[in-house]
Each structure stands twice: as C-alpha cells, then as structure tokens.
Amino acid sequence: LTAASRPPPGSARKAAAPMSDAALAAAVRAAIAVHPEGLEAGPSTLLTAVKEAHPDDFTGVGIQKFKKLLSKVKAQIKEEEEAARIEAAKPKVGSKENCPGRHGLKRFLTNHSSYCCDTCRCYLPEGAPMWGCRICDWDVCEGRCHPAGTTLSDLRADLSGLETRVEALASQSAPDVKTRLALVEAEVHKLEKNLDNAVVADLVKFSALRITEDDARKQKKALIADSEALLAKIEGTFAKLQLSEVEA
Ligand SMILES: [Zn+2]
Ligand SMILES: [Zn+2]
C-alpha cells in the first residue's frame, strides 16, 4: 500500500458499523449547507460531495437510495425554514423573563419614582430594584414579577447605585436635598441589613462566577465596609449642608 491508498486509521471499524440514517442525513445537510446552490443543488452533485467528505460511509449508497434520503432531508429543511419564518413573524412581546427584543434583563435601582412595571403595571418608588432593558425600555419589578435571588454582584450594584446618588446629591443645593439624602441613607441601612442577612453559602450558590466560600466572605466583608464608608460620607454631607444653611 502507498501512503495515498492506505485507508485512514479507524476506517475498518467504521465500515463494520455503517452510519445510521440520522448520521447520513446530517452529512447530506452539511453538504447542502456548503454547496453554492444550496437546496437547489441536484442529487448527483450532492452525492459526489458527500462521498468526498465521507469516502467510507457512502460507498454503498447508490443514486436511487440517495435521492430518497435527499428528498427527506430537503423536506425537513423546508419545514424548519417555514417554522422559523412563522416564529420571526410573531409579534415581539416582553415578559417577566425577557424584553421584547430578547436582550436579557439587567438589575438596577430606580432613580426616580415614575417607573412602572411592564408586566404587573405597579408603580415603584425611587430606589426600588427592577430588572430592565434600556434598548426596549422594558422594566419588570423585583419580588412580585422577577425573582430576587440576591447575589454579590446585585449587592455591589445596589451599593454603587447608592454611591452615585449620594455623589449627585452632595453637589446639589436644591431645597429638598436633605430629604432625598435621608431617603438614600435609609436605603443604605436597608442594604446593610441585606448584607448582614446574606448567607455566605447562598452567595456562593447564586454567584454567576465560580467562587469559594472564602471569596464570598471576603467580598461580603468588603461590601459592609464600603456601605459603612458611604454612611460616613452621607453624615459628612449632612454636616456640610447644615453649615451652609447657617452661613446663608
Ligand atoms: Zn411587576
Ligand atoms: Zn431589550
């Protein structure tokens, strides 16, 4: 045997166990997918293509048998295309799980009190957790419509949302700044309570990334420290506001 005519390793075993009809159909499908004429390609050109790709498996397949197989595969592909067309033509609607555009919902805290849940139509106060898509403007309330399932990244997102709000309020001089700051302060206390109540084993279980209990414990500790720092900052802002009122 020359190198060129020697059967490739494993071919003897393959010949003993012929390809199943499903495997033959899959090979035909693959040939149609890469053929420039696609579904319009004729049986003899496709048979040549599959014989080239699978020299051992299609040796016993004659043109008549192949034609039958091919018409089955083509009918299947057309059926699937029709199903996909119907699916694509359906009106796109949002749900509790996803937005109309299927982008996936991200958790956020509302930054004003005019958010309305798109599935249960309830209005949410400022600072309430929601799951939304900004592209579709689709928002779902947490708790009633979207499951909560606290994770470290949720807690981190809650905290950075609160940090941003404190930052924004610290640079304002509107008459209701103190009231709004007090609201944020109450939410930081709520977050601290959530942090205290968060069970390390659950934080590990719900984490999207694989983390150890030790990692979770450290991250939880860091979050508690950061929320305490934020409370101190809020106190400092209150003191400054008090001072500017006295000066005014
Ligand atoms: Zn809702
Ligand atoms: Zn979307």
Side-chain angles (χ1 to χ4, degrees):
L1 284 176
T2 65
S5 61
R6 189 181 302 137
S11 64
R13 192 183 47 78
K14 258 194 204 159
M19 264 172 124
S20 67
D21 282 356
L24 289 174
V28 175
R29 214 171 241 270
I32 292 171
V34 297
H35 197 282
E37 285 170 58
L39 272 179
E40 302 305 315
S44 53
T45 150
L46 285 172
L47 181 57
T48 310
V50 288
K51 278 191 169 167
E52 265 168 31
H54 307 269
D56 300 315
D57 303 305
F58 280 86
T59 40
V61 180
I63 188 75
Q64 287 313 318
K65 184 180 174 184
F66 185 74
K67 274 184 181 169
K68 265 189 210 158
L69 177 64
L70 183 59
S71 71
K72 253 191 222 166
V73 171
K74 281 188 178 179
Q76 227 172 43
I77 293 174
K78 280 184 185 150
E79 232 170 73
E80 285 167 14
E81 282 178 352
E82 179 64 8
R85 201 187 54 74
I86 291 169
E87 186 60 38
K90 274 186 191 165
K92 293 202 162 48
V93 290
S95 68
K96 289 174 189 180
E97 286 82 30
N98 214 339
C99 58
R102 307 270 175 274
H103 301 110
L105 303 179
K106 276 207 191 85
R107 190 178 195 268
F108 69 99
L109 296 177
T110 57
N111 55 353
H112 55 75
S113 56
S114 327
Y115 277 92
C116 169
C117 172
D118 284 304
T119 63
C120 75
R121 297 271 144 213
C122 68
Y123 275 89
L124 289 123
E126 187 179 324
M130 286 191 94
W131 294 74
C133 169
R134 295 281 53 87
I135 303 166
C136 300
D137 192 21
W138 183 260
D139 302 299
V140 178
C141 71
E142 183 180 280
R144 196 197 318 226
C145 294
H146 197 288
T150 310
T151 65
L152 279 163
S153 59
D154 289 339
L155 293 164
R156 170 63 63 194
D158 284 355
L159 183 62
S160 57
L162 292 167
E163 281 168 348
T164 311
R165 282 166 67 199
V166 170
E167 205 71 56
L169 286 170
S171 60
Q172 278 180 25
S173 55
D176 64 341
V177 165
K178 276 165 79 179
T179 322
R180 289 167 66 193
L181 200 56
L183 280 174
V184 178
E185 189 180 27
E187 279 171 41
V188 180
H189 283 299
K190 215 197 285 174
L191 177 67
E192 268 201 318
K193 207 192 268 171
N194 287 346
L195 273 166
D196 277 337
N197 292 340
V199 179
V200 168
D202 285 343
L203 294 175
V204 171
K205 195 166 69 188
F206 293 127
S207 173
L209 301 169
R210 197 183 285 271
I211 54 168
T212 64
E213 289 219 349
D214 212 39
D215 290 335
R217 202 170 290 117
K218 273 185 199 147
Q219 287 187 48
K220 178 179 161 173
K221 235 178 147 179
L223 279 166
I224 291 173
D226 288 351
S227 61
E228 272 162 11
L230 185 58
L231 284 172
K233 187 173 178 180
I234 292 172
E235 286 316 313
T237 310
F238 269 127
K240 251 187 242 160
L241 286 168
Q242 205 74 38
L243 204 65
S244 61
E245 266 171 27
V246 172
E247 280 170 355

